[in-house]
Amino acid sequence: MYFQIGHTNPCTHTRTDSQDRNSRALLSHSVCGLAWSRWSKMSSSGWILAVCLVVLEGGRYAVLAEEVSGSERNCSAIPPYLPPTAVNTTLRLRDLRASMIPLNISAYIIPATDAHLSEYIAPRDARLAWMSGFTGSAGTAVITQNKAVLWTDSRYWIQAERQMDCNWELQRDASIRSITNWLILEIPEGDQVGFDPFLFSVDIFDVYSTNLAPAGRILKSIPDNLVDKIWTGRPPLPPDNPIRLPDNVIERTWPMKVDQIRAQISDNPYKPTAVLLSALDETAWLFNLRGNDIPFNPFFYSYTLLSMDEIWLFVHIERITEELKVYLNSSCYHSYCVQLLEYSSVRTYLQSYLQRPNVRVWVGTEYTNQALYELITPEDKRLTSTYSPVLTTKAVKDATEQRILKEAHVRDAVAVMQLLMWLEKKVPEGTENELTAAHFVDQCRSEQKNSRGPSFETISASGPNAALAHYSPSNETARKLSVDEMYLVDSGGQYLDGTTDITRTVHWGKPTDFQKEAYTRVLMGNIEISRTIFPAGTRGVNMEMLGRRALWEVGLNYGHGTGHGVGNYFGVHEWPVGFQSNNIPFQEGMFTSIEPGYYKENDFGIRIEDIAVTVPAITKYGNNYLTFETVSLVPYDRKLINTSLLSPEQLHWLNKYYETIRSMVGPELERQALKEEYDWMMKHTAPFLTAGASAVISSVTLLVTVLPSVLLYNLL
């Protein structure tokens, strides 16, 4: 059902009902409990209980297992309990194991990526999900003739237990060392481990090889993916053609970008003659093109080989329109003409280029797959760096990119405020759930200028579901929103002029003292990173602990990264910017998320995420220092902030941030004639007192906020 409420709420709303199985479970449990209490001392008691379970549940699920397991599988129950979200993988595993036998491999590795080492992948590349049922964005499976095992990190442990059947074991570790140690224990020395080289980066292959080779386990490259061969109904290639960006959102034309990269090729002391671009965002950035092959990410399947006097673009040529061919100068052969070649011919053509004398190909090992890298022989024909010159150049936004990305965040703030205001009114009525809230914010964003859809699947999570850092609701799992629980919403939008990602955590009732303290300490971590001043060239990993320090002081922590880069109508996780050890040093003009959190298992989750840009900092003595300017512009939940924990500097930063929200978002709300949202924003950005035990408002500010709304709207 859809409805629209004038200017107060222009977002269309969708309702989805969740399923309830509690009555059947309780009835069955009570009957079986009676039988057990009467006959538990008899020798046949086990048989009687088994019959009871089979009769009452039709042989499908044991009620005792259901009572114990809830939404997660219970493989130790008799019979095993599987939630409705689990996938039956028996036949798939049987077929894959049969295909392994003629290849003489004892194990087969399945990563959760594609041939471009993408984090977000197209449905047709979701091999791990199809084989295991697990749909998380990070994980690796290993299948032998008698075992199937998934490795993933702490963000996805509960999700895996909900989605996998009992054919699978879960290893609560994401490290390659854990996988290789397991392989060494499970398969004999001299046996082969199969893998698809298109799904392994150069760096990842090296780690596997380094760990396995000394133990006598042999990696076998199998370019024809075994999952693809058994995957009936594999989704086809999306039909959409790539498009070019309009001139008003670009500062550098593609020939200008080609010149930038060629200058780096020429200046490199190791004298490469060409650079190979494998990551999907590399080619899209270079040519100012976007596509629709990957959900939530405007990319298209492609590779590029760029030399000093030639350009080869490997794509599905049938999808390149005549207009794009003209745009790319594809009908000529000078140094600014793009030669179009079939996507599938990249290996063949790379081999052909390598036959030329005195050539050397530059590759970024983080995003070049092993299938291409293993062709670049002998060794003196290749030059490696962690990231290609395109990725490091793209990480620094030019003046136009910075301006329009900030503008996109202003409009995005309007959509998020619409969601939060709507939830404040609707949740006490008890009519909404996680899924309806996710649909609502997506709809709000869709009505903003230049909207191109969500930038990822919205994480809308209440109560214990919010303790899963990357949970997304479904019809089966959507929890009703309640004033008695904390609610976390992590969402983002794709706009023609930018990509957004923001997380807010709120409570509509009375939070506990511990919830307020945990929230405030997460906020302190966000503020400490945001306000820090550091020398240009500082690595994010050297500042990351600032986001954790307030939590560490009381023995709390979180198990995910503290931030990632973000693009201009690109990926919401844009490498190589961020706070991890393999991110590049910060320079002026880089955009990153700042997102500390805290998660109490089976209770609640907190994350506060903003996007910020690195800008010059004014210091008393030194030059070439940077700080962060927050471009996400949505207020935090006042009810959850204990200002007595904040330092004067943190409180000053918070009040200045709220002034910025008013000055930046206020005019946009007025322009869109969103009066109620404007009043909501003014109320929630009232300045905090400099002391006190809660997020109180000064008496003058309180007087202003309770003025008749029409007077307030006209005055401000």
Side-chain angles (χ1 to χ4, degrees):
M1 180 171 111
Y2 301 90
F3 66 90
Q4 190 165 336
I5 311 177
H7 290 308
T8 300
N9 209 335
C11 309
T12 305
H13 172 51
T14 303
R15 287 288 313 274
T16 304
D17 293 329
S18 60
Q19 301 176 354
D20 184 1
R21 299 178 177 83
N22 290 340
S23 298
R24 176 175 62 97
L26 289 173
L27 174 63
S28 302
H29 179 65
S30 63
V31 175
C32 287
L34 176 61
W36 180 256
S37 66
R38 289 191 178 184
W39 295 302
S40 60
K41 295 182 180 180
M42 298 182 183
S43 60
S44 58
S45 58
W47 176 83
I48 293 171
L49 177 61
V51 170
C52 177
L53 293 174
V54 170
V55 170
L56 289 171
E57 285 294 310
R60 185 179 180 191
Y61 298 125
V63 173
L64 290 182
E66 186 170 351
E67 290 292 313
V68 171
S69 299
S71 62
E72 299 174 31
R73 65 179 183 168
N74 187 340
C75 297
S76 62
I78 302 175
Y81 167 72
L82 295 177
T85 49
V87 175
N88 186 338
T89 63
T90 301
L91 296 180
R92 299 169 189 183
L93 288 169
R94 181 200 65 187
D95 292 344
L96 185 77
R97 285 166 173 152
S99 70
M100 293 166 56
I101 294 173
L103 295 170
N104 194 29
I105 56 175
S106 298
Y108 188 65
I109 305 173
I110 307 173
T113 189
D114 61 15
H116 305 275
L117 295 314
S118 307
E119 177 185 6
Y120 293 95
I121 57 178
R124 69 190 320 268
D125 292 318
R127 299 173 180 91
L128 176 60
W130 187 79
M131 281 301 306
S132 68
F134 170 70
T135 60
S137 64
T140 303
V142 176
I143 297 170
T144 66
Q145 287 300 326
N146 57 7
K147 290 187 179 180
V149 186
L150 172 75
W151 281 260
T152 191
D153 63 65
S154 60
R155 295 173 297 167
Y156 298 112
W157 290 344
I158 295 176
Q159 179 179 341
E161 296 287 7
R162 291 177 175 180
Q163 294 182 322
M164 296 193 305
D165 65 10
C166 291
N167 287 308
W168 288 82
E169 300 175 19
L170 174 62
Q171 291 284 337
R172 296 172 183 260
D173 193 329
S175 68
I176 296 176
R177 170 64 70 179
S178 173
I179 299 172
T180 54
N181 285 347
W182 185 90
L183 283 166
I184 291 168
L185 290 174
E186 287 293 324
I187 68 172
E189 184 175 356
D191 279 19
Q192 298 186 108
V193 178
F195 73 101
D196 180 349
F198 282 100
L199 306 183
F200 276 57
S201 72
V202 176
D203 289 342
I204 288 177
F205 172 81
D206 284 346
V207 176
Y208 273 97
S209 180
T210 299
N211 291 348
L212 290 175
R217 276 67 175 180
I218 303 164
L219 283 170
K220 182 175 182 177
S221 176
I222 306 173
D224 294 326
N225 192 278
L226 299 188
V227 177
D228 293 353
K229 291 184 175 182
I230 65 168
W231 189 350
T232 56
R234 183 186 178 205
L237 183 73
D240 299 343
N241 299 327
I243 61 170
R244 57 169 294 190
L245 289 175
D247 292 338
N248 66 330
V249 298
I250 60 173
E251 181 174 309
R252 291 167 288 179
T253 65
W254 72 258
M256 293 169 63
K257 291 181 175 179
V258 165
D259 283 343
Q260 279 187 282
I261 304 308
R262 281 176 170 163
Q264 294 182 58
I265 294 174
S266 178
D267 293 343
N268 192 298
Y270 297 99
K271 303 302 180 184
T273 59
V275 61
L276 176 64
L277 307 179
S278 295
L280 296 180
D281 56 342
E282 293 178 309
T283 290
W285 177 87
L286 184 66
F287 296 111
N288 291 326
L289 298 176
R290 298 296 186 269
N292 196 33
D293 289 352
I294 312 295
F296 310 115
N297 293 263
F299 304 141
F300 56 98
Y301 289 110
S302 57
Y303 297 96
T304 296
L305 185 62
L306 172 66
S307 75
M308 295 302 294
D309 50 14
E310 292 179 281
I311 309 169
W312 300 274
L313 172 58
F314 301 89
V315 290
H316 295 93
I317 295 178
E318 71 277 7
R319 304 165 71 193
I320 304 299
T321 64
E322 290 302 317
E323 178 186 2
L324 281 186
K325 290 178 181 178
V326 172
Y327 167 74
L328 295 169
N329 299 329
S330 64
S331 60
C332 58
Y333 294 95
H334 61 71
S335 60
Y336 294 99
C337 299
V338 179
Q339 300 178 43
L340 300 177
L341 298 167
E342 275 297 333
Y343 174 79
S344 59
S345 70
V346 61
R347 274 171 58 101
T348 301
Y349 198 86
L350 179 60
Q351 286 179 305
S352 175
Y353 178 77
L354 291 167
Q355 298 303 312
R356 299 182 184 183
N358 303 316
V359 298
R360 173 174 287 180
V361 178
W362 186 358
V363 299
T365 56
E366 190 77 18
Y367 286 99
T368 300
N369 63 54
Q370 181 66 19
L372 298 182
Y373 183 79
E374 64 188 14
L375 300 178
I376 307 175
T377 57
E379 189 173 335
D380 63 1
K381 285 185 175 289
R382 62 177 178 246
L383 171 65
T384 63
S385 58
T386 302
Y387 301 106
S388 78
V390 165
L391 283 181
T392 54
T393 302
K394 177 170 64 69
V396 179
K397 314 302 183 192
D398 61 37
T400 298
E401 290 169 333
Q402 292 185 46
R403 174 180 57 81
I404 63 177
L405 188 48
K406 291 179 181 179
E407 292 172 354
H409 276 83
V410 172
R411 300 192 306 277
D412 193 73
V414 172
V416 178
M417 288 182 188
Q418 287 176 313
L419 169 72
L420 296 178
M421 185 188 76
W422 178 75
L423 288 174
E424 279 186 9
K425 294 188 296 184
K426 301 297 291 185
V427 169
E429 299 175 5
T431 58
E432 307 307 325
N433 64 32
E434 296 166 335
L435 198 57
T436 60
H439 290 165
F440 189 85
V441 73
D442 289 346
Q443 181 63 32
C444 290
R445 283 194 170 95
S446 74
E447 297 177 5
Q448 290 298 317
K449 177 184 174 183
N450 291 337
S451 173
R452 294 297 184 271
S455 56
F456 57 97
E457 185 177 9
T458 296
I459 298 170
S460 172
S462 182
N465 286 341
L468 310 175
H470 279 217
Y471 163 87
S472 292
S474 65
N475 287 331
E476 293 79 18
T477 65
R479 188 178 184 88
K480 181 176 287 189
L481 303 185
S482 166
V483 296
D484 298 322
E485 294 182 344
M486 297 186 78
Y487 172 70
L488 182 156
V489 57
D490 184 348
S491 65
Q494 290 287 10
Y495 302 90
L496 192 59
D497 47 352
T499 302
T500 68
D501 183 6
I502 182 171
T503 306
R504 290 295 181 263
T505 305
V506 297
H507 198 301
W508 300 290
K510 185 177 180 180
T512 66
D513 290 343
F514 177 64
Q515 288 173 332
K516 290 178 65 174
E517 179 178 2
Y519 181 94
T520 304
R521 290 184 179 278
V522 170
L523 177 61
M524 291 164 68
N526 183 297
I527 293 174
E528 279 304 288
I529 293 180
S530 300
R531 61 181 292 272
T532 192
I533 294 173
F534 55 94
T538 300
R539 291 185 175 273
V541 69
N542 296 329
M543 296 184 282
E544 199 259 4
M545 63 83 59
L546 294 174
R548 301 178 186 268
R549 183 169 59 187
L551 291 165
W552 286 356
E553 288 173 349
V554 292
L556 304 179
N557 204 354
Y558 54 93
H560 57 72
T562 299
H564 55 80
V566 67
N568 285 78
Y569 189 27
F570 257 140
V572 71
H573 293 168
E574 183 175 82
W575 285 71
V577 176
F579 294 90
Q580 299 189 47
S581 59
N582 55 350
N583 291 142
I584 61 176
F586 278 113
Q587 302 176 45
E588 180 183 350
M590 290 181 171
F591 284 75
T592 182
S593 72
I594 300 171
E595 50 180 303
Y598 171 71
Y599 309 90
K600 184 179 179 183
E601 188 172 349
N602 295 319
D603 194 347
F604 64 87
I606 299 166
R607 186 160 62 254
I608 300 173
E609 176 184 19
D610 294 308
I611 302 300
V613 57
T614 48
V615 296
I618 299 174
T619 63
K620 185 175 181 179
Y621 299 112
N623 297 315
N624 201 26
Y625 280 74
L626 300 174
T627 189
F628 292 106
E629 175 189 322
T630 302
V631 300
S632 300
L633 298 168
V634 177
Y636 310 119
D637 189 353
R638 308 183 73 89
K639 186 179 295 185
L640 287 166
I641 301 174
N642 182 347
T643 56
S644 68
L645 295 176
L646 300 179
S647 69
E649 294 81 7
Q650 292 166 345
L651 201 55
H652 175 73
W653 183 96
L654 186 57
N655 283 332
K656 292 292 290 184
Y657 174 57
Y658 279 8
E659 290 176 11
T660 301
I661 293 176
R662 289 184 170 191
S663 66
M664 298 294 292
V665 185
E668 182 64 23
L669 290 168
E670 291 180 307
R671 189 190 68 78
Q672 296 188 31
L674 296 174
K675 178 179 177 299
E676 189 175 3
E677 286 83 348
Y678 183 94
D679 293 345
W680 183 94
M681 181 270 297
M682 293 298 294
K683 174 184 175 182
H684 286 268
T685 55
F688 295 103
L689 292 175
T690 56
S694 61
V696 295
I697 309 174
S698 68
S699 58
V700 174
T701 302
L702 182 60
L703 176 63
V704 173
T705 58
V706 298
L707 284 173
S709 60
V710 62
L711 176 61
L712 179 65
Y713 189 69
N714 290 331
L715 287 175
L716 297 175

